[in-house]
Amino acid sequence: MATCFGILGTIEMWRDGTTVDVGHAMQRRVLGALLVDAGRAVSADALVDRVWGDAEPAYGRRKLYGYISRLRHVLAADGTVLTRERGGGYRLAVDPSAVDAHRFRDLSGRARDAGGDEQAETLWREALALWRGSAFAGVDTPWFNARRHLLDGERLAARLELTDVRLRLAQHEGMVGELTARAEEHPLDERVIGQLVLALYRCGRQAEALGVYERARRRLADELGVDPGPALRQLYERILAGAADPAAPRSAAPAGRSSTAVNPPMARQLVPRLLPAGQSLFVGREEEVDEARRLLGEERPGPVTLLITGPAGVGKTALAVRTGHLLASRFPDGQLHADLRGFDDEPAEPFTVLGTFLRALGVPGGTVPAELTGRVHLYRTLLAGRRMLVVLDNAAGARQVSDLLPSGVRCATVITSRTTLAELAGRRLPLGVLDPATGLDLLRGMLGRDRTDAESGAARSIVETCGGLPLAVWVAGARLAARPHWPLAKVARALADEQRKLDELAVGHIAVRASLELTHQQMAAATRHALHMIALLPGTGFAAWALAALLDADLSEAEAVLDDLIEVHLVQVGSADTTGIRYQLHDLVMLFARERTERDVPERERAAALSRLLGASVHLADLAADTLKVDFQGIPQRDLASWRLSEAETGHLLADPLAWFNDERQFLIEVAEQALDEAEGVAPAAGLATALTALFQVGSHFDDWERLQNRALKAALGSGDRHSAAKIHRCLGELTTILDRYPEALDHFEQALLHSEGQGPAYRAGATAGLAYVHRLLGQYSSAVHHFEEAAELAESAGNVNCLVYATNGLGVIDLEQGRVEAAVTRFTKCLRVSRAAGYRPGEAQALRCLGQSHRALGAYPAAADAYRQAVTISEDLGDRLSATHATCWLGDVLTRHGEHREGRRLLARSLWTYREFGNLWGEAATLYALAEAQLAVGRPAPARRRAEAAVRLWRRIGSSRWLAIGLDTLAEAHTLAGDHTAAALTRAEAEEVRRA
């Protein structure tokens, strides 16, 4: 019996062409949730989330088990198995080709790769014929809605690809009606517009074609504030020029790809190129490279996985990277790469790697999912339709990589590991050592043919005693290359003597350890000590200031000893950043150095070195934050620094504090996390986490901010450190406020105040001001005024000018929102004066924004615009894009109110994109409200209603009652302008009810 399944429409099951009753609606949802991952396990928690979303009933897990049991009986009739997997998940054991959505994607991929247009047309028609309606029709949960949106987008993309093919096949005569309807459905899609324009022109309807373009141009300008993209403009210009066929020449498009497409979807996707540079000297491995290219280049029904395994130092990474570069054209949508550090003390977490990958794929930092499952789903969704190569280097085992494997049928993954990865399915490529001839080629490439040929016997001996391990040959060759006066025989004899130690060394590390041991013995004592200190670092990449702290030396001494280590190739120059050189160690060199450090450096000396590193990190981070003057906590962390660089060295490093932080961000996080593992390091480690707050905020590194400070908070609470807990709670309150998670923010600020009891005004001022701000956002003005006034008193007592300005400004905003404009202007003017006197530039920008709001309230639009422009300039100078967008949004609003509609809408559209990039819901709602007002001003009720409805939805979600009422007023005006007086009356009544509540 042939059984197949459908989700491209209602969720269905057919057996020999006859529909099978799979049960009631909830049971169908369970089947649909399993079919999306046909052949793969889905956890019970994920199924519950997919089926019910936020409306999970009591005993939801028990109900799920019942549906699973009944589905098993339905499926068993033809032998289809629904199994329970280890860990509590369920797997529907069906071939993906039996599911219409998976078959649709397979046919789409084959159509894109088709050798000719006739074949492509057949495949596209077959793919689109599988659709019976909207995907998962009749199902309404967040997960199904998101999948429906994705699949419907793929359906539209397929229709557009088919249209391109048919246009190339000169079928335009019969396409105008279809394309006209599609253009009405997607009036802002430039590719759709371009296809209709081209079809009309080829039908001899030039005037109509130009009319369609002109209407689209006006609509893009009016609704988005933008002009048509280059492809659509060029098509228009070629029509004006009377081209025989205005479409791009066929030779301009790759085989199987459209030459008529206007702004195809992939042109708007980021194409990540994360592969590191290949080695300039790569010898041998011709057969392995050819095999890897063959395996990865094959057309297969699913994603390809290549497992490169072998002992440490055998060249797995070099082979993976070289293969990736050679196959770049095979994967035009990009390459992702991550060093998983599988054998480090702290391997890379899939959660963190997925965050890096998602941002590389264009997902804004503020919208990266906060839980692992969400990241996995989004990652696989984004890769589903792409040709992408993923390289996962240095994996510990299957568990570390399982969440990082793409599911897209045109993706490929290369995994390297020192283990066999026996649990993973895939094509295997084990690497052995180099044969003597190839090893000699490697040595010859490093030293030159003349030198190796002059001592050919010694050269062969070096390769033989290194056991053909590439890294071992490289280390020996590097020592000789750095010392051209040394005879090769000197190293050959030393390596031969070291063979006596091999019995005591682990398999796979024999030649490397022997070579490194020899190098280590012949280094000066100060150089050896520096290598031992570097081994204490939490990662393999670092700057010279970190070594200076470890050595208790100045910066020039640290740089000099690093030059010595570079000479023998134990340290490499990783990159030259804007603030200086960054250095790195190969992981095996680091492993060797750590072993020697544990053996040769007393524990007390190691602890003292790490304490200096933490102190230097706290000092530099706090100074960088203080220079930017973004935060208002007012508690310097520098007192926690047990060691610091000289003033001159510090000034040099922090000449551009934001650039320094961008270079050092990951290293500083690792230093803090390393210190948090030690009980005695909690206070300074929490101080470092606190000092990074302003830097996280300016750079919008919300993921790093939350992860590090949650860990610091747990450590502080666990050790009973109330001072640190108070500071971290305050910082997390600020973060959750930015992310519109107001209940969490209130809890953090209240906990900060609880832990700061008896600690003086400095600890209480910032938390009290933050608490007041959230109350104001929620429309709880009485509480907000009380806390702002208390915060101002505390800040003045503590001498915290930044917090005093923040609190005074907050009181002014409440005055403004309650109609006391003159009182508000007085407060904002005071804030502006004090901020300028104190050099508190974020406070200056905030005061200018609020003065702009005051002028706006009085109808003084030119004065408001001037204040907003000044605020934008200050925030952009600070690198604070979010604050700059706050001012840009309202600048766009006052410009439209002043009659400058085009520029105003352009700024509002730009602000909307930025707010969505950051995931800032309040800002998105404010911009949608302003866009609705702009549409009302030019008499367009329909787009005004859509934007006002979107703003109202967001303000309901946030819980901002005052702005919800304002948004409802605007929505009522849109209904009135559209002639829907009943809807307008109901909406006004709701606005009044919100105000009374």
Side-chain angles (χ1 to χ4, degrees), residues 366-386:
T367 59
V368 173
E371 77 292 339
L372 177 61
T373 301
R375 293 186 177 202
V376 174
H377 288 167
L378 181 57
Y379 168 69
R380 288 178 175 159
T381 297
L382 290 174
L383 265 59
R386 303 193 193 191

Side-chain angles (χ1 to χ4, degrees), residues 549-864:
L550 291 168
L551 294 174
D552 193 12
D554 61 36
L555 203 54
S556 61
E557 291 178 67
E559 290 171 341
V561 77
L562 281 167
D563 285 341
D564 293 338
L565 288 165
I566 290 171
E567 186 179 356
V568 293
H569 287 78
L570 289 179
V571 169
Q572 300 171 337
V573 174
S575 62
D577 295 323
T578 55
T579 55
I581 297 172
R582 297 195 68 76
Y583 304 89
Q584 65 183 33
L585 270 69
H586 187 282
D587 57 350
L588 291 177
V589 176
M590 180 64 91
L591 177 64
F592 168 81
R594 284 175 178 164
E595 291 175 351
R596 293 308 303 254
T597 301
E598 290 181 9
R599 192 180 85 182
D600 298 343
V601 181
E603 184 175 352
R604 181 181 298 177
E605 189 176 338
R606 281 180 266 158
L610 287 173
S611 178
R612 292 191 297 271
L613 173 64
L614 180 58
S617 301
V618 171
H619 181 242
L620 289 169
D622 198 49
L623 274 179
D626 190 54
T627 303
L628 291 173
K629 293 185 179 295
V630 172
D631 200 16
F632 58 87
Q633 175 157 267
I635 305 174
Q637 310 304 311
R638 294 187 289 280
D639 293 343
L640 296 169
S642 61
W643 191 92
R644 58 191 65 187
L645 292 166
S646 71
E647 186 175 344
E649 291 169 336
T650 300
H652 173 73
L653 283 175
L654 300 182
D656 185 340
L658 196 56
W660 176 82
F661 171 67
N662 288 332
D663 293 342
E664 299 290 352
R665 176 173 58 88
Q666 189 57 44
F667 178 77
L668 292 169
I669 292 171
E670 290 172 350
V671 169
E673 290 177 335
Q674 182 184 54
L676 287 169
D677 291 333
E678 304 294 332
E680 62 272 17
V682 169
L688 176 55
T690 301
L692 293 174
T693 297
L695 302 164
F696 285 146
Q697 182 176 347
V698 171
S700 301
H701 300 290
F702 304 135
D703 211 6
D704 290 336
W705 183 350
E706 186 162 23
R707 187 179 69 253
L708 175 62
Q709 292 192 355
N710 273 331
R711 184 172 177 185
L713 179 61
K714 182 178 179 181
L717 293 173
S719 64
D721 184 350
R722 293 171 59 84
H723 290 266
S724 295
K727 293 185 294 186
I728 295 294
H729 268 305
R730 207 288 309 178
C731 296
L732 287 171
E734 183 73 10
L735 171 64
T736 47
T737 301
I738 292 171
L739 297 178
D740 303 310
R741 287 154 42 187
Y742 300 148
E744 289 180 62
L746 289 172
D747 183 63
H748 278 302
F749 287 131
E750 287 165 356
Q751 289 295 316
L753 290 172
L754 182 65
H755 286 288
S756 62
E757 285 183 0
Q759 295 187 28
Y763 279 82
R764 299 180 62 80
T768 305
L771 190 62
Y773 185 81
V774 179
H775 281 303
R776 183 190 69 76
L777 289 174
L778 294 173
Q780 299 163 358
Y781 291 118
S782 178
S783 295
V785 169
H786 169 73
H787 289 300
F788 272 136
E789 289 176 343
E790 183 182 356
E793 292 177 9
L794 291 166
E796 192 163 17
S797 175
N800 184 347
V801 174
N802 295 9
C803 186
L804 176 61
V805 168
Y806 185 87
T808 305
N809 198 88
L811 289 167
V813 172
I814 293 173
D815 284 333
L816 179 61
E817 292 182 346
Q818 295 190 328
R820 300 185 295 273
V821 181
E822 289 185 5
V825 170
T826 300
R827 292 189 194 272
F828 298 147
T829 303
K830 177 183 176 182
C831 290
L832 184 61
R833 184 179 65 253
V834 173
S835 295
R836 284 174 171 167
Y840 180 32
R841 302 208 74 204
E844 183 181 354
Q846 186 181 45
L848 285 164
R849 288 200 308 271
C850 293
L851 282 169
Q853 291 291 70
S854 303
H855 293 311
R856 174 181 175 273
L858 295 170
Y861 300 133

Side-chain angles (χ1 to χ4, degrees), residues 956-974:
R956 283 192 208 281
R957 177 176 170 186
I958 292 168
S960 180
S961 58
R962 176 180 183 273
W963 282 97
L964 173 58
I966 291 173
L968 288 167
D969 288 340
T970 300
L971 180 56
E973 290 181 37

Side-chain angles (χ1 to χ4, degrees), residues 815-937:
D815 284 333
L816 179 61
E817 292 182 346
Q818 295 190 328
R820 300 185 295 273
V821 181
E822 289 185 5
V825 170
T826 300
R827 292 189 194 272
F828 298 147
T829 303
K830 177 183 176 182
C831 290
L832 184 61
R833 184 179 65 253
V834 173
S835 295
R836 284 174 171 167
Y840 180 32
R841 302 208 74 204
E844 183 181 354
Q846 186 181 45
L848 285 164
R849 288 200 308 271
C850 293
L851 282 169
Q853 291 291 70
S854 303
H855 293 311
R856 174 181 175 273
L858 295 170
Y861 300 133
D866 182 62
Y868 289 135
R869 288 190 179 101
Q870 291 182 62
V872 170
T873 300
I874 293 170
S875 296
E876 287 181 344
D877 286 346
L878 291 171
D880 188 351
R881 289 180 60 212
L882 192 56
S883 293
T885 304
H886 294 334
T888 302
C889 168
W890 294 112
L891 174 59
D893 174 78
V894 297
L895 288 178
T896 59
R897 292 174 185 274
H898 193 52
E900 299 179 49
H901 299 288
R902 183 181 180 84
E903 176 65 9
R905 285 198 299 272
R906 186 187 71 81
L907 293 177
L908 288 170
R910 192 177 80 185
S911 299
L912 185 62
W913 298 332
T914 305
Y915 280 131
R916 286 174 174 168
E917 176 187 342
F918 282 102
N920 188 286
L921 299 182
W922 202 101
E924 182 180 349
T927 310
L928 288 165
Y929 153 76
L931 282 166
E933 289 285 328
Q935 295 294 350
L936 286 175

Side-chain angles (χ1 to χ4, degrees), residues 462 464-467 469 471-473 475-476 479 491 493-506 508-522 570 588 592 595-596:
I462 290 171
E464 290 170 4
T465 53
C466 285
L469 199 64
L471 182 60
V473 176
V475 173
R479 294 178 61 248
V491 172
R493 287 193 300 272
L495 284 175
D497 291 340
E498 290 300 316
Q499 289 286 358
R500 292 192 298 269
K501 302 180 180 179
L502 293 182
D503 291 340
E504 302 176 10
L505 300 176
H509 292 273
I510 295 173
V512 173
R513 188 173 278 108
S515 221
L516 291 173
E517 184 66 45
L518 178 60
T519 304
H520 184 264
Q521 288 176 357
Q522 295 185 357
L570 289 179
L588 291 177
F592 168 81
E595 291 175 351
R596 293 308 303 254

